[in-house]
């Protein structure tokens, strides 16, 4: 029983990280039709810069962590905004070229990060509480899981409120449905493009700092490995569906944890099988609109 | 500043997926009344409107109030005062009626100093326009909170028309607004357009010749992507042979869907 609880809790925590990456991917794809392969780099950069900022206040302190999360999010947002304005916008409506540019950027930035911070993972210093566990019905649940779930829920709530109650949110929702018609109403939809990149980048940067707390290290490759699962989550949830991404994040991560424990470390395999199954049965994903 | 024509199209061609579907089309839309674009299915009427708006790849000249706009992005052209009511309505199904309308509202003078520099004048939403829309579409006021995707075809057409009528436009481009609607609704839509046309010139793509007869002063007939006839609507509609030759229908049989006159 306590094992199941532990696996569910760590699955939820991991799902929170997936969602922080997948939410941006899904928004960007839904509105712009661009698969953003550079999204993992926003996460990695957010993690390194966020941690460095936190260390200025004090490694392993709450103040340092809070500043790190803030700076991580801002870094992710800034990197994403620069990417959209500098590389994506000039290729307006040329989706294949846009995707290729993000692939190139992701490769180049990983090499750059390795050059700056070295290729190997570095340990991080966490607060005592984050480095320990909490007893839940006999299971020793890592406290980072709670933090991840809390952050993911806050980001989900924030994005939903943004989409529902602001004019830009309205433009984004309409643009996901029918981008051409949004421009035909006199709206410069490119501003909304920049905005979803910024919001997605912020969530990824935040996720980067959080991931360092769960993994207990920071590395130039952490973005790339999380990105793979975030893509799978996005496809399973339905490209462009935020709720779908949230549900799929939890499903994928929990399934992965359970399979890793009970089925001989086959978590990744099971996830890929789930992906194949969803693509066969519901090609547009759990909550995506049929193409 | 504006001449007698609000819109001039000169040598306009449009390409879809690398294929030219509109060839060297030229016509004018005077600053008042309804100009109808006629032609059989698939001849390029919709593509012509979309090319004017820059929604498809195009070449040639488009002048709005004498100003070339063919190099501009769609949203800029629209903010110069072009209202678009697309074929098949294209309401945002997942948004409510009021969200659809709010999205269409343009701030009068949006673009600010940039607009002034480029010679754009304000063609946005005004309180008078909102009142007009509420008066024209009381049903939409009642259904403000309903998702547009759950509306009937006629109600969706009203949303689409309302979006265009919310702003002080220089011209409306309206694409087959009566397509697929019940006769009673066709009459309603025609009446709404007649009301709108009193204050703004309309370029109207329409297959229902009774609606054309009711609304249009002039016609532009397109065949195989080219303009094959322009002139007063009366002249065409009074010539059954010409109607038969250009449109492939007889003027008499066009009106199973009766329009009150
Ligand atoms: N999305 C599209 N893809 C490929 N061909 C298209 C597309 N839209 C229109 N066409 C082609 O362009 C031509 C003109 O179409 P259209 O402008 O819609 O005609 P109309 O409005 O007069 O019925 C047609 O031959 C049609 O097959
Ligand atoms: Mg058409």
């Amino acid at each position: 029983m306590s094992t199941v609880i532990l696996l569910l809790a760590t699955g939820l925590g991991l799902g929170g990280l997936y969602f922080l990456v997948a939410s941006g991917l899904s928004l960007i794809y839904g509105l712009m039709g661009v698969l953003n392969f550079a999204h993992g780099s926003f996460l990695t950069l957010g993690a390194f810069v966020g941690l460095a900022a936190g260390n200025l206040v004090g490694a392993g302190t709450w103040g340092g962590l809070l500043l790190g999360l803030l700076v991580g999010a801002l870094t992710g947002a800034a990197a994403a905004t620069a990417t959209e304005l500098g590389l994506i916008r000039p290729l307006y409506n040329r989706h294949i070229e846009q995707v290729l540019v993000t692939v190139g950027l992701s490769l180049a930035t990983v090499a750059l990060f390795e050059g700056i911070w070295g290729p190997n993972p570095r340990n991080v210093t966490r607060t005592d509480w984050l480095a320990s566990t909490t007893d839940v019905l006999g299971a020793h649940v890592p406290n980072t899981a709670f933090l991840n779930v809390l952050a993911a829920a806050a980001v989900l709530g924030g994005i939903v409120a943004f989409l529902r109650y602001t004019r830009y949110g309205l433009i984004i929702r309409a643009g996901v449905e029918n981008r051409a018609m949004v421009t035909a109403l006199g709206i410069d939809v490119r501003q909304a493009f920049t905005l979803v990149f910024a919001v997605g980048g912020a969530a990824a940067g935040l996720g980067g700092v959080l991931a360092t707390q769960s993994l207990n290290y920071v590395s130039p490759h952490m973005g790339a490995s999380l990105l793979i699962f975030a893509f799978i989550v996005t496809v399973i949830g339905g490209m462009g569906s935020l709720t779908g991404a949230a549900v799929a994040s939890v499903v994928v991560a929990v399934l992965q944890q359970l399979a890793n424990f009970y089925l001989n470390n086959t978590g990744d395999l099971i996830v890929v099988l789930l992906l194949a199954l969803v693509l066969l049965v519901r090609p547009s994903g759990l909550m995506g609109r049929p193409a | 500043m504006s001449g007698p024509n609000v819109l001039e199209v000169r040598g306009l061609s449009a390409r879809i997926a690398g294929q030219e579907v509109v060839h060297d089309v030229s016509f004018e839309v005077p600053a008042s009344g309804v100009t109808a674009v006629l032609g059989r299915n698939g001849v390029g009427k919709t593509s012509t409107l979309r090319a004017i708006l820059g929604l498809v790849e195009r070449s040639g000249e488009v002048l709005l109030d004498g100003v070339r706009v063919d190099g501009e992005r769609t949203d800029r052209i629209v903010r110069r005062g072009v209202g678009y009511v697309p074929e098949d309505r294209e309401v945002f199904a997942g948004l409510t009626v009021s969200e659809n309308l709010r999205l269409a509202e343009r701030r009068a003078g949006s673009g600010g100093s940039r607009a002034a520099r480029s010679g754009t004048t304000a063609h946005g939403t005004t309180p008078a326009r909102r009142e007009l829309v509420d008066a024209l579409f009381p049903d939409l006021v009642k259904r403000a909170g309903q998702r547009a995707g759950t509306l009937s075809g006629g109600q969706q057409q009203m949303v689409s028309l309302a979006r265009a009528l919310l702003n002080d436009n220089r011209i409306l481009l309206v694409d087959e607004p009566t397509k697929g609607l019940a006769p009673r609704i066709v009459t309603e839509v025609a009446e709404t357009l007649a009301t709108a046309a009193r204050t703004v010139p309309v370029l109207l793509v329409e297959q229902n010749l009774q609606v054309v007869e009711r609304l249009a002063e002039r016609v532009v007939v397109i065949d195989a992507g080219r303009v094959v006839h322009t002139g007063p609507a009366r002249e065409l509609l009074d010539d059954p042979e010409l109607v038969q030759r250009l449109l492939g229908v007889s003027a008499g049989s066009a009106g199973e869907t009766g329009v009150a006159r």
Side-chain angles (χ1 to χ4, degrees):
Chain A
M1 180 64 188
S2 69
T3 310
V4 174
I5 289 174
L6 177 65
L7 293 171
L8 286 179
T10 51
L12 279 172
L14 184 62
L17 290 182
Y18 288 168
F19 176 75
L20 289 173
V21 185
S23 53
L25 285 180
S26 194
L27 272 180
I28 290 169
Y29 182 84
L31 184 65
M32 306 171 65
V34 174
L35 283 174
N36 179 28
F37 283 87
H39 215 69
S41 298
F42 305 156
L43 180 144
T44 308
L45 188 66
F48 274 109
V49 177
L51 281 186
N55 287 345
L56 294 178
V57 174
T61 67
W62 282 105
L65 178 65
L66 279 180
L67 182 69
L69 291 171
L70 182 69
V71 170
L74 289 176
T75 304
T81 304
T83 302
E84 203 284 320
L85 291 176
L87 297 174
I88 304 294
R89 179 172 287 198
L91 297 170
Y92 185 74
N93 259 348
R94 291 159 63 182
H95 292 176
I96 295 175
E97 285 93 333
Q98 287 177 328
V99 173
L100 289 177
V101 157
T102 69
V103 172
L105 185 65
S106 74
L107 297 174
T109 45
V110 170
L112 180 71
F113 299 153
E114 284 185 346
I116 300 175
W117 291 293
N120 299 319
R122 295 185 192 184
N123 281 335
V124 297
T125 313
R126 300 182 288 189
T127 69
D128 291 341
W129 186 76
L130 276 179
S132 59
T133 61
T134 297
D135 196 278
V136 178
L137 302 173
H140 300 293
V141 176
N143 288 334
T144 51
F146 300 115
L147 183 63
N148 291 347
V149 170
L150 189 73
V155 166
L156 174 62
I159 294 179
V160 166
F162 171 73
L163 290 177
R164 193 166 295 168
Y165 300 115
T166 68
R167 176 158 179 89
Y168 273 115
L170 184 59
I171 292 171
I172 291 167
R173 280 186 291 145
V176 167
E177 221 181 277
N178 185 345
R179 190 161 30 123
M181 193 60 218
V182 172
T183 67
L185 291 177
I187 296 163
D188 183 1
V189 77
R190 298 177 312 166
Q191 293 171 359
F193 291 176
T194 312
L195 200 63
V196 291
F197 255 80
V199 169
L206 186 74
V209 177
L210 287 171
T212 65
Q213 304 298 297
S214 297
L215 300 167
N216 203 17
Y217 66 76
V218 57
S219 125
H221 305 282
M222 58 194 289
S225 40
L226 270 170
L227 185 67
I228 293 170
F229 290 105
F231 266 130
I232 293 175
V233 157
T234 311
V235 174
I236 290 177
M239 308 289 293
S241 165
L242 196 68
T243 337
V247 172
S249 294
V250 172
V251 170
V252 165
V254 168
L255 203 65
Q256 208 174 5
Q257 296 292 312
L258 291 173
N260 273 341
F261 187 83
Y262 290 112
L263 298 173
N264 213 1
N265 266 324
T266 54
D268 296 358
L269 178 68
I270 294 290
V271 166
V272 172
L273 288 179
L274 176 68
L275 174 67
L277 182 74
V278 168
L279 286 178
L280 277 175
V281 181
R282 272 185 79 93
S284 54
L286 296 179
M287 303 198 178
R289 285 167 300 129
Chain B
M1 179 188 81
S2 59
N5 294 323
V6 61
L7 181 73
E8 286 180 36
V9 173
R10 299 179 188 154
L12 185 69
S13 297
R15 304 175 75 83
I16 297 176
Q19 181 109 22
E20 193 171 290
V21 295
V22 172
H23 321 284
D24 197 19
V25 159
S26 301
F27 62 88
E28 288 110 47
V29 180
S32 71
V34 175
T35 303
V37 177
L38 308 179
R40 298 178 177 87
N41 279 329
V43 296
K45 305 180 295 295
T46 296
S47 302
T48 301
L49 294 198
R50 291 173 62 82
I52 291 169
L53 285 165
L55 285 167
V56 295
E57 203 186 319
R58 73 227 198 269
S59 61
E61 296 184 10
V62 176
L63 290 91
L64 192 65
D65 284 322
V67 178
R68 291 264 312 252
V69 300
D70 43 81
E72 296 189 355
R73 289 195 321 267
T74 300
D75 58 286
R76 291 291 314 274
I77 297 173
V78 169
R79 286 203 299 277
R80 286 177 177 276
V82 181
Y84 180 42
V85 182
E87 192 172 14
D88 301 322
R89 349 234 189 264
E90 300 205 31
V91 299
F92 298 100
L95 307 191
T96 65
V97 168
S98 75
E99 284 175 334
N100 267 275
L101 300 185
R102 243 194 301 145
L103 198 64
E105 288 196 2
R106 302 199 298 267
R107 256 176 307 133
S110 64
S113 59
R114 203 191 316 159
R117 245 181 287 133
S118 67
T120 319
T121 40
H123 305 290
T125 309
T126 57
R129 281 274 155 192
R130 280 200 199 98
E131 269 167 40
L132 171 77
V133 165
D134 286 354
L136 277 175
F137 309 106
D139 202 28
L140 297 186
V141 179
K142 267 186 286 169
R143 296 175 184 277
Q146 189 176 338
R147 274 184 183 229
T150 65
L151 296 172
S152 72
Q155 290 160 344
Q156 292 192 1
Q157 189 62 65
M158 297 304 175
V159 171
S160 197
L161 281 165
R163 286 193 307 204
L165 293 176
L166 268 171
N167 299 295
D168 254 331
N169 286 309
R170 292 289 305 139
I171 184 173
L172 301 185
L173 310 182
V174 184
D175 198 347
E176 299 211 32
T178 66
K179 188 171 143 191
L181 300 181
R184 192 173 50 82
I185 314 293
V186 170
T187 309
E188 253 181 69
V189 168
E191 286 309 315
T192 306
L193 280 170
T195 307
R198 280 187 220 122
T199 56
V200 60
V202 178
L203 183 63
L204 171 71
V205 175
E206 182 57 66
Q207 303 262 29
N208 184 327
L209 289 186
Q210 293 207 329
V211 173
V212 173
E213 189 168 22
R214 162 83 177 77
L215 294 173
E217 281 102 64
R218 294 160 304 274
V219 294
V220 175
V221 183
I222 296 182
D223 198 14
R226 295 176 200 281
V227 173
V228 291
H229 174 91
T230 51
R234 262 284 50 94
E235 199 178 288
L236 174 71
L237 296 172
D238 284 348
D239 188 341
E241 251 170 67
L242 196 58
V243 169
Q244 176 64 37
R245 183 162 60 80
L246 293 175
L247 304 174
V249 292
S250 59
S253 76
E256 314 87 56
T257 49
V259 173
R261 314 240 334 253

